[in-house]
Amino acid sequence: RLHEIALDRMQGLISIPSLHAAMAVLLVHAVRGTKFVLPVLATLNLAMLVSTPIDGGHYFVDVVAGVLLVVVLIALGRRRAVRLPDAARLAPVAKLEAMSP
């Protein structure tokens, strides 16, 4: 039976991919068009990426898998975004003025 919860011996449920690494890449990708926020977040998230195998409870391969996961998802999202104009041309959305009561 579980009589106590030892906070110093807790283990995470997810090891691979590192969602810390995925979040770091996603945050930098999300602010890539900004002038002042990008350098700050890029620096902080790079520090998080470097420290994840040391203090985050992940192995190096977990971090690589998290980064690769996001890179693939971004590429798939861009590929889908290229196809969206064709879909919009086939099924156009009504103008916003026509939608208001």
Side-chain angles (χ1 to χ4, degrees), residues 14-15 17-22 24 44-67:
I14 300 173
S15 177
S18 168
L19 298 180
H20 293 98
L44 290 173
N45 286 308
L46 181 63
M48 182 170 61
L49 279 174
V50 171
S51 67
T52 297
I54 299 166
D55 291 328
H58 290 285
Y59 295 105
F60 180 71
V61 70
D62 301 339
V63 175
V64 172
V67 170

Side-chain angles (χ1 to χ4, degrees), residues 7-82:
L7 297 177
D8 60 337
R9 293 187 306 247
M10 293 183 74
Q11 295 181 359
L13 299 175
I14 300 173
S15 177
I16 189 166
S18 168
L19 298 180
H20 293 98
M23 181 181 68
V25 175
L26 277 175
L27 285 172
V28 171
H29 178 70
V31 298
R32 68 190 181 281
T34 62
K35 195 174 198 178
F36 301 108
V37 179
L38 178 63
V40 173
L41 274 181
T43 303
L44 290 173
N45 286 308
L46 181 63
M48 182 170 61
L49 279 174
V50 171
S51 67
T52 297
I54 299 166
D55 291 328
H58 290 285
Y59 295 105
F60 180 71
V61 70
D62 301 339
V63 175
V64 172
V67 170
L68 286 176
L69 172 71
V70 172
V71 168
V72 167
L73 290 175
I74 289 171
L76 289 174
R78 286 184 177 174
R79 184 176 175 199
R80 182 173 182 219
V82 169

Side-chain angles (χ1 to χ4, degrees), residues 92-101:
V93 177
K95 293 183 180 180
L96 291 178
E97 294 87 19
M99 294 175 70
S100 61

